[in-house]
Amino acid sequence: KKKIGVDPNNGGTHRMTSDTFFAKNEDKFDLIFIDGLHTYDQASKDIKNSLNTLNDKGFILLHDCFPMTYYDQAVPRAQRKWNGDVWKAITEIRTLDDVDTYVGAFDNGIGLILKRKNNNVLQKPSKSFKDISYQDYYNNYENYLNLISKKKFFEIIHEHK
């Protein structure tokens, strides 16, 4: 019934950064869609802020989690098509016990984040999430992202309602 869009430049209903929005927000949400700055730092902040405002049966969708090439994820941006290093934020959130996270292998990778027990906790890497290399990602992306099919993605959403 209530839809809010946040963007500092265009579109949406609130002309501000997501950081400013979350600092002022007192609402709870059933669905939060994050498609922002495309950097690990901002995606991590947006996920954490979103989890604090998410209803228990709600879910977070995060766009651009599945880069196919080094240049798709390079920061700073190196080409027109760009996922950024959002995949690092997904990798980090997969290490939490109380947040269940998947990435649908479609539309540049759609992250699905639920507030519930994580039965597939990712072991923390030996280096900081910001320092994980694309080579590490390339060799481990299915595990890092908890990659699932489009069919499985929508089954999980349907079951979570």
Side-chain angles (χ1 to χ4, degrees), residues 115-127:
K115 285 170 57 171
R116 68 180 189 187
K117 182 173 174 28
N118 182 354
N119 291 317
N120 189 15
V121 176
L122 180 68
Q123 183 178 353
K124 288 185 180 179
S126 58
K127 51 183 115 175

Side-chain angles (χ1 to χ4, degrees), residues 20-31:
T20 301
F21 173 79
F22 283 118
K24 296 178 179 183
N25 176 61
E26 295 181 6
D27 292 327
K28 291 284 190 178
F29 298 98
D30 297 320
L31 169 64

Side-chain angles (χ1 to χ4, degrees), residues 1-15:
K1 293 181 182 180
K2 183 177 183 180
K3 297 177 183 115
I4 294 174
V6 178
D7 192 291
N9 299 314
N10 57 43
T13 58
H14 291 65
R15 187 76 56 235

